[in-house]
Amino acid sequence: MKRITEMNPAEFRELLHTLVNEELFKSRERLAALLTQNGTQEALSAEFFHFHGDTEDLGFWFEAYEQDPLKGLDLYTPLGKKLKRQREYILANRKTTLEERIHRRMGVYLKSDPMPDKRIIELSPDEFRELLHILVTQDIFASRERLAALLEQNTPIEQLDTAFREFFVAYELLELALEDYYYDPDEGLEMQPEFAEELDRRIADYEAGRTKLVPMEKIFKKLGIE
């Protein structure tokens, strides 16, 4: 994917339109409504499944943004002071590297990655609801509304760049709020016997040398993915 800092104005605007229309913002509205309506634990868990996945999907877009989001900003304006304070908080409290976070989004924990000490599945109903309240009130959702409004007004690219940086830092805060929680969407689900038997058979075939693993690079090349 092309680096965000290398995009021309038209490409950058197109990216911003994509970001503000990501599924996360629809999932957040549904989750917030369930909390307001005192939805059941089952309903909240089902919607959190989408919210968590959509958060990770949004994060994939930011992997190509390697610039310091504060670089070039006037840090003496109200917004500049706010972003500086938030960024300092993120850097002081974040435990993971970019590489570790990228792998987490793929469902993999590197050996160097500090495993989260809290498991979503083990939270009490009250603790789970408290976490959800924290998540749906994150600054990224207000930041998204401001960015979407600027796009509708055909705002100059310089202002959009500043709004994007605010949006990016807000995403980092959302990511940080989830960093200490382990979540496996398949955890607690019962595996169908037929699938378990097939999985065991394939593992046995591989260990016996009857089958070989196909490198992901070959699969991506076959599918035309760079």
Side-chain angles (χ1 to χ4, degrees):
M1 184 169 64
K2 190 172 186 178
R3 296 182 186 278
I4 294 174
T5 51
E6 296 173 352
M7 291 180 176
N8 61 41
E11 292 171 329
F12 185 55
R13 284 181 187 272
E14 183 178 355
L15 171 66
L16 297 185
H17 276 289
T18 298
L19 294 179
V20 301
N21 287 293
E22 278 286 288
E23 288 297 314
L24 172 63
F25 304 106
K26 299 173 186 176
S27 178
R28 181 261 182 178
E29 292 304 310
R30 295 192 298 267
L31 194 53
L34 284 170
L35 287 168
T36 301
Q37 299 161 8
N38 199 27
T40 66
Q41 180 79 2
E42 182 179 8
L44 290 170
S45 297
E47 191 53 53
F48 178 72
F49 168 85
H50 297 290
F51 181 93
H52 186 274
D54 293 337
T55 299
E56 293 183 332
D57 288 345
L58 181 60
F60 283 117
W61 290 104
F62 294 128
E63 290 173 10
Y65 185 71
E66 300 176 354
Q67 181 176 321
D68 178 355
L70 303 185
K71 183 179 180 180
L73 286 182
D74 183 352
L75 301 181
Y76 294 97
T77 64
L79 177 59
K81 291 178 180 178
K82 169 191 168 185
L83 295 185
K84 182 175 183 293
R85 183 175 65 253
Q86 290 179 332
R87 184 73 172 152
E88 288 173 348
Y89 173 81
I90 292 165
L91 296 178
N93 290 277
R94 179 186 278 161
K95 302 181 182 71
T96 55
T97 65
L98 175 59
E99 184 181 12
E100 289 165 349
R101 292 192 296 279
I102 290 174
H103 278 78
R104 281 193 183 195
R105 284 194 278 273
M106 295 186 292
V108 178
Y109 285 86
L110 297 178
K111 290 183 178 179
S112 61
D113 190 335
M115 284 292 292
D117 56 5
K118 303 173 186 176
R119 301 177 75 91
I120 296 290
I121 197 172
E122 294 176 355
L123 296 179
S124 70
D126 286 343
E127 290 172 332
F128 185 54
R129 287 176 185 270
E130 182 179 355
L131 172 62
L132 297 185
H133 275 291
I134 291 172
L135 295 176
V136 301
T137 55
Q138 287 287 304
D139 192 50
I140 189 171
F141 302 109
S143 176
R144 181 264 174 196
E145 295 301 316
R146 290 190 287 271
L147 183 53
L150 290 174
L151 285 168
E152 289 293 326
Q153 298 164 14
N154 199 29
T155 303
I157 201 69
E158 293 77 15
Q159 287 180 255
L160 289 176
D161 178 63
T162 300
F164 167 75
R165 294 171 190 235
E166 180 187 12
F167 183 81
F168 174 79
V169 172
Y171 172 78
E172 289 190 309
L173 286 170
L174 173 61
E175 190 176 51
L176 185 62
L178 282 164
E179 187 176 66
D180 288 335
Y181 292 89
Y182 175 84
Y183 179 66
D184 180 353
D186 296 326
E187 191 171 16
L189 296 179
E190 183 179 351
M191 185 181 294
Q192 293 296 320
E194 297 82 1
F195 179 79
E197 291 174 6
E198 177 67 11
L199 181 61
D200 289 340
R201 185 183 66 77
R202 289 179 178 272
I203 292 174
D205 286 346
Y206 171 71
E207 292 177 343
R210 290 189 291 269
T211 60
K212 294 182 179 180
L213 295 179
V214 179
M216 290 301 295
E217 291 79 4
K218 289 188 177 181
I219 296 176
F220 289 156
K221 185 176 182 180
K222 185 176 181 180
L223 295 175
I225 301 174
E226 296 182 359

